[in-house]
Amino acid sequence: MFRLTTSMIRMNTPQATSDRLTAVVAEAMRTAKVSQRAMAELTGIPLVTLSRRLNGHTAFTAVELAAIAEVLHLSIVEFALRAERLGNAA
C-alpha cells in the first residue's frame, strides 16, 4: 500500500515578504521610539496610509520604505536583509 506524505515548504510569497518587511519597519520604529504620527510627519506619508501599512492591510512602496529608512538612519537594503533573516528563522 502507498503512503501519502506531505511536508511543509516555506513559501517565499510576495505577501510573506511584505509581512516580514512590515514587521521589520514596525520593530525599527519601536526601537527608535518613533511614533506613527511622528513618522508620518517626518516622511510625508499620510498617517492613515502609514497605519494601514503597519497593520498589514496594504504593502509599503519602495518610496515609502526609503523615506522611513532615511528617518531611522537605515537603508532599504538593511530592511531587506532583516526581513530575509526573519524568513530564514521561520
Side-chain angles (χ1 to χ4, degrees):
M1 179 172 262
F2 292 102
R3 182 174 174 200
L4 179 63
T5 60
T6 60
S7 62
M8 290 293 291
I9 297 173
R10 187 169 22 95
M11 299 289 292
N12 193 16
T13 64
Q15 184 61 49
T17 300
S18 177
D19 291 346
R20 287 193 303 273
L21 277 169
T22 297
V24 165
V25 169
E27 179 59 29
M29 286 175 58
R30 273 191 299 278
T31 300
K33 297 182 179 164
V34 178
S35 68
Q36 287 186 26
R37 184 173 303 283
M39 185 60 74
E41 290 173 5
L42 292 167
T43 60
I45 300 169
L47 181 57
V48 171
T49 301
L50 183 61
S51 178
R52 285 183 183 142
R53 305 286 196 254
L54 290 169
N55 288 317
H57 297 291
T58 56
F60 281 102
T61 67
V63 171
E64 291 166 345
L65 287 173
I68 293 167
E70 185 175 326
V71 168
L72 298 175
H73 305 290
L74 297 169
S75 69
I76 292 178
V77 172
E78 182 60 31
F79 283 156
L81 289 172
R82 291 179 184 186
E84 186 175 337
R85 282 186 220 117
L86 274 180
N88 291 337

